[in-house]
Amino acid sequence: MAIAKILGAETEYGIQVAGNPEANPTVASSVLVNAYAAEVARRVSWDFEDESPGRDARGFTVDGAMPPEVETHLANTVLTNGARLYVDHAHPEYSTPECASPLELLTHDRAGELVLVRAMAAARRALAPGEEIVVYKNNSDGKGNSYGAHENYLVDREVPFGRLAREVTAHLVTRQVYTGSGKVGCELEGGPRAAFEITQRADFFEEAIGLETTLKRPIVNTRDEPHCDATKYRRLHVICGDANLAEVATFLKVGVTALVLLLVEDGALTGRELVLAHPVAAMRAVSHDLSLAEPLELVSGETITAIGLQWELYDVARKYAEERGLAELGPEAVGRQVLERWEAVLAGLESDPASLRHQLDWVAKRELVDAYCARHDCGLDDHRVAVLDLQYHDMRPARSLFARLDMDTLVEAGAVEQATTNAPRDTRAYFRGECLKRFPSAIVSANWDSIVFDVGEDALRRVPMMEPSRGSASHVDTLFDGCGSAAELLRRLGA
Amino acid sequence: MVERELKKRTTPQKEEPEVVEDAPATAARGEKLKAEIDDMLDEIDEVLEENAEEFVRNYVQKGGE
């Protein structure tokens, strides 16, 4: 049965030290995170107790396939907005707090961008003159190396994972027509080098389903690590999307996927079976097809275009919403906004994709590249075009090309600013954030599903938070009211 | 609430009133768009990284996810 869609996003940013190509990216990422923690945020470290990235949703644990990499020596902080800012291998990564609607997740994804902008500024003050750490919100270096932008969706454990995977795959493949961030130059071996591609990520997906995230990447990732009550919930970990800068693209990527998951949970996809015969080939075909007309084969033998498949999902979703509302996507207006924007964007893609130049990343970048090539009389293989492609994602306000394209927005700048320090009010992130704000010196560590306190007693005290929707403002504000210390808070909790 | 408001729009809203513009208006809009793109490209030429070839060569990302 459909459950409230608690959502999160994890973005690995590309990183470079300007003027020093030999710089170690792991060190640079640590400098960045530490500079932000020291200058802007209070430092509380992450707790690795609950990490189990090797557990597979298909019901087994892979020994040695993916040893948990506990890099406690690296920078790792929890912020008062409930987010996690840390170093993941050789990248700075921002994980949003748990959000209760797609619009709230968009706000917190944008807040993450602002945190990285401030981290760059803080690092500049800590570095030698002339040195500068620069981050990019993209997913590829154009040389065959990719890094992720992952989404997380809370789903009902009762839904068999096999059915979930089968029903969601066609959506993940075809949503690329609006989630792509655009890329110049294919990164498939033997692929066309001087081509414009809709997504950054499609070239890197080699399996339909699996546990990996760095090798043989699968369209449906089976990591079974819910970070909450595993008897009731799953966290669907979606790894095949692009990091978006365009707000409309982020909103649709998360909003439509959450809505499709409601349809899966409620068994609403009862029409013709929307299962692709060759999902990996289709993933690439959709990304490489600027005409948006490529026929994709279904297991039934019929064919359908990516937009056609999205329209079929849309029709089911609209009927579903008419019959029972979309309360699981947060405030009533948000579900409606997802449907309306989805419809408008599909219609735009069908009639005139260029009309979406202020809404979708790949369209904006393509128009920019075409205009640049026309003015400078150059081709897609020109080095300046490769710079254009990278610099679209440059997070420095003075250098960002994205910031110069007058893109449509869906959230107020003030709300984004607020979200850099304040947690969402309707999930457990609120409890985490408020504890960090009120009692930072009493918190030893925190993670998604618990907080560890040191209140001066012999033993440390762990407060579990196994229900993602509990710990919201309506649950715990009375608990915090007039509470002067962490010890008092624990007494009130009866811990 | 949701149900009623959503029901109003059971058919995709594709029949927007057609706006017939005369040729000069269309041309003027085209000119305006071109001027906007030119301004945008001027600005982009100003902020684009110099030494394109070296910049692109140096952007290498390893590890992650």
Side-chain angles (χ1 to χ4, degrees):
Chain A
M1 199 187 70
I3 60 167
K5 286 287 151 281
I6 308 250
L7 310 163
E10 311 161 27
T11 309
E12 293 179 3
Y13 286 78
I15 187 164
Q16 196 176 33
V17 180
N20 184 1
E22 303 302 316
N24 179 322
T26 307
V27 173
S29 300
S30 302
V31 169
L32 193 74
V33 171
N34 285 329
Y36 185 80
E39 192 170 304
V40 187
R42 296 195 188 94
R43 166 171 296 266
V44 169
S45 28
W46 191 255
D47 178 0
F48 288 92
E49 184 69 21
D50 180 51
E51 308 270 304
S52 51
R55 197 174 301 147
D56 196 304
R58 292 167 296 185
F60 49 85
T61 299
V62 181
D63 279 331
M66 202 187 285
E69 302 205 16
V70 182
E71 298 163 316
T72 44
H73 59 292
L74 296 176
N76 210 323
T77 57
V78 195
L79 309 180
T80 58
N81 63 1
R84 179 188 186 194
L85 173 66
Y86 64 116
V87 180
D88 188 28
H89 306 275
H91 300 275
E93 176 160 339
Y94 188 88
S95 299
T96 68
E98 303 89 329
C99 297
S101 86
L103 201 62
E104 188 168 60
L105 182 58
L106 167 62
T107 309
H108 276 272
D109 187 65
R110 295 272 294 104
E113 295 174 4
L114 212 49
V115 165
L116 268 294
V117 167
R118 288 174 185 166
M120 285 191 289
R124 203 172 317 139
R125 287 188 279 276
L127 290 171
E131 278 191 33
E132 185 178 21
I133 294 174
V134 185
V135 298
Y136 297 81
K137 195 184 186 194
N138 61 3
N139 303 103
S140 153
D141 66 0
K143 301 172 183 70
N145 300 311
S146 186
Y147 32 103
H150 301 173
E151 306 142 57
N152 298 302
Y153 302 86
L154 196 72
V155 292
D156 183 0
R157 192 92 193 173
E158 299 253 298
V159 178
F161 189 77
R163 183 167 71 80
L164 174 67
R166 195 173 69 247
E167 295 189 356
V168 83
T169 301
H171 167 63
L172 295 178
V173 169
T174 54
R175 70 176 189 162
Q176 292 184 103
V177 294
Y178 48 85
T179 62
S181 280
K183 183 170 75 175
V184 179
C186 172
E187 289 172 281
L188 277 178
E189 229 165 282
R193 298 304 301 175
F196 189 92
E197 194 173 334
I198 290 174
T199 75
Q200 299 244 314
R201 289 280 275 172
D203 290 340
F204 302 99
F205 282 76
E206 300 174 61
E207 304 280 345
I209 184 166
L211 184 58
E212 299 286 349
T213 55
T214 53
L215 299 159
K216 293 191 184 295
R217 292 182 185 90
I219 297 167
V220 173
N221 182 264
T222 56
R223 182 183 291 187
D224 191 5
E225 192 185 21
H227 296 307
C228 60
D229 186 345
T231 64
K232 293 167 71 175
Y233 307 115
R234 281 182 197 287
R235 173 180 62 118
L236 182 68
H237 189 54
V238 173
I239 68 165
C240 61
D242 281 7
N244 294 111
L245 288 162
E247 292 193 4
V248 172
T250 302
F251 180 66
L252 281 184
K253 176 176 67 183
V254 180
V256 174
T257 303
L259 175 44
V260 168
L261 288 170
L262 298 183
L263 303 180
V264 172
E265 287 177 314
D266 274 342
L269 292 165
T270 53
R272 72 160 160 168
E273 207 180 21
L274 297 174
V275 177
L276 295 166
H278 312 289
V280 175
M283 186 92 185
R284 293 165 180 184
V286 170
S287 183
H288 290 177
D289 171 35
L290 294 174
S291 74
L292 305 173
E294 179 81 13
L296 308 173
E297 192 185 337
L298 298 173
V299 285
S300 62
E302 296 168 289
T303 61
I304 190 167
T305 63
I307 295 175
L309 198 144
Q310 285 286 315
W311 274 127
E312 286 202 17
L313 289 173
Y314 170 81
D315 287 339
V316 176
R318 201 190 62 210
K319 286 193 191 80
Y320 176 85
E322 282 167 6
E323 280 162 20
R324 38 89 72 210
L326 295 173
E328 292 83 357
L329 298 187
E332 177 186 312
V334 177
R336 203 164 48 227
Q337 196 180 355
V338 170
L339 278 173
E340 284 170 5
R341 190 60 78 150
W342 189 12
E343 180 185 2
V345 164
L346 291 180
L349 286 169
E350 219 165 34
S351 60
D352 177 20
S355 67
L356 301 170
R357 67 168 71 81
H358 296 291
Q359 298 187 56
L360 302 182
D361 285 305
W362 76 266
V363 180
K365 190 189 277 182
R366 187 183 180 205
E367 294 287 310
L368 171 64
V369 164
D370 284 353
Y372 187 89
C373 287
R375 170 183 278 204
H376 294 280
D377 192 22
C378 65
L380 288 177
D381 54 352
D382 194 284
H383 291 301
R384 291 170 296 176
V385 175
V387 174
L388 213 61
D389 188 2
L390 280 176
Q391 208 176 322
Y392 178 89
H393 307 271
D394 190 324
M395 292 309 295
R396 293 172 295 178
R399 290 285 191 169
S400 164
L401 301 191
F402 168 81
R404 285 164 172 74
L405 300 180
D406 191 24
M407 300 294 280
D408 292 352
T409 59
L410 300 176
V411 291
E412 303 276 335
V416 175
E417 177 62 45
Q418 286 284 311
T420 62
T421 49
N422 293 348
R425 295 179 62 81
D426 297 326
T427 70
R428 65 184 176 190
Y430 183 78
F431 181 72
R432 183 185 311 118
E434 284 301 302
C435 285
L436 284 160
K437 267 188 197 166
R438 291 163 188 262
F439 317 115
S441 57
I443 298 173
V444 179
S445 62
N447 66 17
W448 299 120
D449 59 21
S450 68
I451 300 177
V452 178
F453 290 89
D454 180 353
V455 291
E457 296 169 1
D458 287 346
L460 299 177
R461 309 274 291 276
R462 178 185 293 272
V463 176
M465 306 186 290
M466 300 309 280
E467 280 290 334
S469 59
R470 292 192 66 85
S472 64
S474 62
H475 286 129
V476 299
D477 261 353
T478 50
L479 204 62
F480 284 120
D481 210 17
C483 181
S485 71
E488 169 69 16
L489 178 70
L490 293 179
R491 261 195 305 280
R492 291 182 180 193
L493 278 166
Chain B
M1 261 306 256
V2 172
E3 293 174 25
R4 208 174 313 126
E5 290 185 34
L6 288 171
K7 261 179 197 155
K8 281 190 218 149
R9 4 178 338 280
T10 43
T11 47
Q13 306 157 328
K14 278 171 188 165
E15 63 294 318
E16 290 206 348
E18 214 170 297
V19 180
V20 184
E21 285 183 13
D22 51 20
T26 311
R29 203 177 48 180
E31 286 297 312
K32 187 166 170 285
L33 188 65
K34 190 178 176 303
E36 278 172 15
I37 291 173
D38 275 342
D39 286 349
M40 186 261 291
L41 286 174
D42 285 344
E43 204 183 336
I44 279 170
D45 278 334
E46 270 172 42
V47 298
L48 212 58
E49 298 278 356
E50 291 163 6
N51 306 320
E53 190 171 356
E54 188 189 345
F55 177 79
V56 171
R57 185 172 358 104
N58 288 343
Y59 190 83
V60 179
Q61 304 288 312
K62 292 215 164 129
E65 304 196 75

